[in-house]
Amino acid sequence: MEKIKDPLHGVTLEMMLNFLVKHRGWEAMAERVEVRCFQHDPSIKSSLHFLRRTPWARQKVETLYLKTVREETRKNLNKSQEGASLDKCDGPDAQEKGVDDGGRKSRG
């Protein structure tokens, strides 16, 4: 039996909104999902009330959430890869091991 991965499995609408507010802010959310509850006196409570009764808006929020999660994951992955490459070439033993500033072996 083949399982289909649902990226939203276990993620509540409230969790999505809190994540989006933290990572994007109300103003950016209002630009991407043009609904009154994001534009005028926004709150989690009013947004939950509206989105639970408005399927098209909820779909847009879910799409924005997935996009934001992918962006944050990619950003964090890049940061960890940059940190790992810096550890390799900038350590105190780098010159002794014949590694120049670009992380390449020195000639000679």
Side-chain angles (χ1 to χ4, degrees), residues 33-80:
V33 182
E34 295 184 28
V35 292
R36 187 171 174 80
C37 63
F38 290 172
Q39 297 169 344
H40 303 284
D41 195 26
S43 72
I44 297 293
K45 185 178 178 179
S46 67
S47 299
L48 286 170
H49 182 80
F50 175 77
L51 294 170
R52 286 181 178 140
R53 289 162 176 71
T54 316
W56 64 265
R58 182 180 179 136
Q59 180 63 47
K60 287 187 174 197
V61 168
E62 289 173 351
T63 301
L64 179 60
Y65 170 78
L66 291 172
K67 180 181 177 185
T68 306
V69 167
R70 278 193 303 271
E71 289 171 359
E72 290 298 315
T73 302
R74 197 172 298 126
K75 196 183 307 180
N76 290 336
L77 182 62
N78 287 339
K79 281 182 185 177
S80 67

